[in-house]
Amino acid sequence: MASVHESLYFNPMMTNGVVHANIFGIKDWVTPYKIAVLYLLYEMSTTKPMALLDRRRLNKLILPLQQGPDLPLEQFLKIVEECCARMANVVKLRLSSMAEGELQDMEHFFTILPNAFTDSEAFKTSVVGLFMRQMLLAYNKLSFSQVYKLYKSLQQYCNRSKQPELSAPPGEDMELTSNEDPSADHIDKVELDKVSLHHSELWSDEIQGPLSQKQAEYFLARQAYLLKNDENKAMSPAKLQDELNNILKFNPDFAEAHYLSYLNSMRVQDIYISTHSLLHYFDRLILSGGEGKSNGDEGYGRSLRYAVLNLATLHCRFGHYQQADLALQEAIRIAQEANDHVCLQHCLSWLYTLEQMKGSDSVVLTEDSVKIAAHFCLPYLASLGIQSLVQQGAKQGMLANKLLDALRGTDIMHWKQSLSELIEISLAQTTSIWRMYGKSTMALQQAQLLLNMNSLEPVNFSVQQNNTEAFAVALCHLAELHAEQGLYAVVIDIMTHLKQQFPPHTQHAKLWMLCDLKIQFEKAMNDGKYHMAEPLVTAISALNSTEGLYRKAQLMKALNQTSEASKILQHLQQRCEKSKNIEMTIRVMLASAELHWDSSGFATALPLLLQALALSRQHNLQSLASETVLHLAFTQLMLGIPEQAIVLVQDVLESVLAHGALIDKGRALLLAARCQMALAGTTAETNRLSAVELAVHTLDEAAVYFSRLDCKERMRDVFYLQARLYHTLGDFSQRNKCAMLFRLLDQELPLSGMTVVNRL
């Protein structure tokens, strides 16, 4: 916010660019730009024969023009011209005649202005009527010298639009730049049905000139709304902070600006500025007279209670649990003094959230929160509590039907209350639960349902609520589901959209970053490119230490560094058992069992696998249960019990083919083929060839899945087994073909200790 030339931005509170009083002391003042807006409204009211589409476009343009910052005349006319060219010409002629005339022409305009709206009820009740009455009141309060100064500034305002840009005096060049912000242009233009965006470059990168109270409030409200609902469309963190600092220069006691600064700093995880801004918000409320209202139901006392609560949430986000607990206790004390049940309920909600973040059991606190919220008719908090209970119940192995029934009950309440945000959270949580249970088809359906759902939020500032955490979670699930099916081109498209919608500085960007890294890691491991997987492990560890350790153990195992992998898995299992991460605990057990296959023998892996199977069934984790059964089947095959192994494989094969990833489908069919080969050796001579042909057919099906993933290591195993089977069948041409393909892949791939003999 640079210095302002008073010939362009007339402000009765300024003289020679110096502010002599708080500019927010009055609601609004008359400026040349606002006279142009008044002329537009006057012409719209007096011009009766107007095309319906033009009038509709102009009606949509009125509110942004009133609430936004002052624009240069040329830009104002361009925007109006995009809606109605005839109206832009009329306004331009009217302003030019006034500027070229005398002072009495401006006085005459303000005299006749109310006549156009006297008979209209809208003049008394509408936003347009309120704006006009405020301008008339502000104009009537001006002294003669201020009226004369306003007229002179109007003349320069109109004359400047006629001058070419290069002819501006060098001394005024920096003072007369445009004063609008880019997000305002983007927002206002999208709201117009057929207004093009090719003039968006006219909007400058910053707001110049002091804003009136209404303009500042509009700017803050708009940016706060965008930060909540579509952060990607809000100003960048650095630019928004500059604008807030400039607003605070003119009025350091503007508490709302400090609060928006706090929200903006949270975007970039800046704990110093966010804490500083929140405390300033606290202080400004007290300085403005709220220190004696902490016991009231309304006024600044209520804001102070929620300020302390926000301080607690800030410490929660940065992991300062002790400070968060102290702030929560303070908020609870103030709320109890004020008998504010709503604030107390918010405090209780954050209390059980804090316990969850600490890793403690918070079921009792959550249940109490739901009961009290229902008692005080707070559906939003009650629903959040129920969804938290569902999340905890899913991790603790509660029956799936009970969890989904609870979610269905909350969904009915959400639709009745039109709680759009909670509907999105519920759908995203349902997607996650189905994925945890291993039902990929149902997870895909729920994710698509969320992404295709029309928002129930009022579409303010052209926001469609598509950058919330729920959408990020759903898109990440979609990316992982497509990656599991080998559709990497679709995954790239989804990731590109995620990167555009959630830039790296936004708070939900870590979700897609971790998802992208995990997909790249799995692809590199499937391709046998371990040198590419190694840097990915470091990146994953930076975002999630648990996932990073697990991937590191997988890489060490693939590189035959079994002792290092075993140490990592032991440490990881202890951590997961402490944090009650059942899903990762089971995965660690399966990886440890695979290490036992290579070192101490197959029999020693059985206790681990049986324990993993019991845990997965107890927690309804069908995907992990199927994977564990396949591990058990492989162990039995290696122990010489193919009859039991084939029974286990057939028990889970249908589930794996219906919901499993391509790699799991291929592995299951490959294991089934090996069991069929082992059984063929004990079959009578008459049925042996048909059993071998069945194994060949099963291997063909497995090869289809591996080829779609371009998993060359697995394809090498398939070709090796097929060559042996074709040799048994006497089909030497097919045997030679498979042997050649095996040799080519064996020469291409690096040497590995993991072969078809000793791995699943």
Side-chain angles (χ1 to χ4, degrees), residues 445-615:
Q445 181 195 53
Q446 292 295 309
Q448 292 285 3
L449 183 61
L450 171 58
L451 296 175
N452 287 282
M453 186 187 74
N454 291 325
S455 175
L456 300 179
E457 286 286 318
V459 189
N460 295 331
F461 313 118
S462 74
V463 171
Q464 293 290 348
Q465 274 219 337
N466 54 0
N467 81 327
T468 56
E469 185 179 13
F471 278 92
V473 170
L475 286 168
C476 289
H477 281 310
L478 274 183
E480 291 179 348
L481 289 169
H482 283 86
E484 288 176 356
Q485 303 306 316
L487 303 173
Y488 291 108
V490 180
V491 173
I492 292 173
D493 292 339
I494 295 174
M495 283 298 162
T496 302
H497 175 70
L498 276 166
K499 291 173 184 178
Q500 292 173 351
Q501 201 63 37
F502 302 89
H505 67 267
T506 57
Q507 59 178 330
H508 304 312
K510 287 184 179 180
L511 294 172
W512 64 258
M513 289 179 181
L514 181 60
C515 174
D516 190 24
L517 289 171
K518 289 196 293 186
I519 290 172
Q520 291 183 45
F521 177 83
E522 295 298 333
K523 189 175 187 301
M525 294 295 289
N526 290 338
D527 295 343
K529 298 177 181 178
Y530 304 132
H531 64 286
M532 295 177 63
E534 192 168 356
L536 295 174
V537 170
T538 306
I540 292 173
S541 300
L543 294 172
N544 189 314
S545 59
T546 302
E547 292 284 351
L549 282 174
Y550 176 65
R551 261 67 184 184
K552 186 176 182 180
Q554 282 184 306
L555 182 61
M556 294 294 102
K557 182 165 65 69
L559 295 173
N560 297 323
Q561 300 178 14
T562 54
S563 58
E564 292 85 349
S566 179
K567 292 177 183 177
I568 294 172
L569 289 174
Q570 288 176 6
H571 171 66
L572 185 56
Q573 185 168 355
Q574 293 174 357
R575 177 191 289 190
C576 293
E577 288 175 352
K578 184 178 180 180
S579 62
K580 298 181 180 178
N581 189 343
I582 303 300
E583 194 173 357
M584 184 57 74
T585 301
I586 296 171
R587 294 188 185 279
V588 170
M589 288 179 176
L590 295 179
S592 300
E594 292 174 2
L595 288 179
H596 282 293
W597 294 345
D598 300 332
S599 56
S600 54
F602 291 93
T604 57
L606 284 174
L608 270 177
L609 292 175
L610 292 173
Q611 186 181 356
L613 182 61
L615 278 174

Side-chain angles (χ1 to χ4, degrees), residues 242-349:
D242 289 340
E243 297 302 334
L244 291 172
N245 291 339
N246 289 330
I247 289 176
L248 290 170
K249 260 189 222 173
F250 286 90
N251 187 0
D253 295 332
F254 199 12
E256 289 77 5
H258 287 290
Y259 191 79
L260 185 59
S261 176
Y262 152 69
L263 295 178
N264 187 46
S265 303
M266 293 292 282
R267 298 163 69 188
V268 292
Q269 303 293 308
D270 190 333
I271 184 171
Y272 174 75
I273 295 181
S274 56
T275 308
H276 178 79
S277 299
L278 188 59
L279 293 176
H280 269 290
Y281 171 68
F282 217 155
D283 296 339
R284 285 337 184 250
L285 289 177
I286 297 175
L287 290 173
S288 49
E291 65 273 14
K293 300 181 182 178
S294 61
N295 293 326
D297 294 330
E298 302 297 335
Y300 290 109
R302 181 176 181 275
S303 299
L304 290 177
R305 294 193 289 276
Y306 285 99
V308 181
L309 184 57
N310 273 281
L311 186 62
T313 64
L314 183 145
H315 288 303
C316 278
R317 173 174 286 192
F318 289 106
H320 306 156
Y321 300 137
Q322 184 177 1
Q323 293 92 326
D325 190 55
L326 292 173
L328 269 178
Q329 298 301 329
E330 177 68 13
I332 291 171
R333 183 190 65 78
I334 299 175
Q336 285 175 337
E337 290 178 0
N339 200 25
D340 187 345
H341 299 291
V342 177
C343 185
L344 282 171
Q345 189 56 36
H346 278 285
C347 293
L348 183 55
S349 299

Side-chain angles (χ1 to χ4, degrees), residues 261-447:
S261 176
Y262 152 69
L263 295 178
N264 187 46
S265 303
M266 293 292 282
R267 298 163 69 188
V268 292
Q269 303 293 308
D270 190 333
I271 184 171
Y272 174 75
I273 295 181
S274 56
T275 308
H276 178 79
S277 299
L278 188 59
L279 293 176
H280 269 290
Y281 171 68
F282 217 155
D283 296 339
R284 285 337 184 250
L285 289 177
I286 297 175
L287 290 173
S288 49
E291 65 273 14
K293 300 181 182 178
S294 61
N295 293 326
D297 294 330
E298 302 297 335
Y300 290 109
R302 181 176 181 275
S303 299
L304 290 177
R305 294 193 289 276
Y306 285 99
V308 181
L309 184 57
N310 273 281
L311 186 62
T313 64
L314 183 145
H315 288 303
C316 278
R317 173 174 286 192
F318 289 106
H320 306 156
Y321 300 137
Q322 184 177 1
Q323 293 92 326
D325 190 55
L326 292 173
L328 269 178
Q329 298 301 329
E330 177 68 13
I332 291 171
R333 183 190 65 78
I334 299 175
Q336 285 175 337
E337 290 178 0
N339 200 25
D340 187 345
H341 299 291
V342 177
C343 185
L344 282 171
Q345 189 56 36
H346 278 285
C347 293
L348 183 55
S349 299
W350 272 103
L351 200 57
Y352 72 70
T353 303
L354 180 61
E355 293 300 318
Q356 289 177 15
M357 296 174 75
K358 290 179 180 178
S360 306
D361 188 6
S362 61
V363 175
V364 176
L365 275 175
T366 311
E367 290 176 347
D368 291 342
S369 174
V370 172
K371 292 175 184 176
I372 299 172
H375 175 72
F376 288 107
C377 298
L378 301 172
Y380 190 93
L381 294 177
S383 177
L384 281 179
I386 292 172
Q387 294 195 25
S388 179
L389 284 173
V390 168
Q391 187 177 13
Q392 295 177 66
K395 293 179 179 179
Q396 294 174 2
M398 287 183 63
L399 293 177
N401 60 336
K402 291 185 177 180
L403 299 178
L404 295 175
D405 282 344
L407 284 178
R408 184 185 61 184
T410 58
D411 285 342
I412 294 173
M413 179 179 65
H414 298 158
W415 287 107
K416 285 182 178 179
Q417 303 282 342
S418 295
L419 299 174
S420 165
E421 186 178 357
L422 292 182
I423 294 171
E424 295 166 4
I425 293 173
S426 179
L427 287 172
Q429 182 151 285
T430 307
T431 304
S432 301
I433 289 175
W434 281 123
R435 284 231 42 215
M436 186 180 72
Y437 288 159
K439 304 290 187 179
S440 60
T441 306
M442 292 300 298
L444 185 64
Q445 181 195 53
Q446 292 295 309

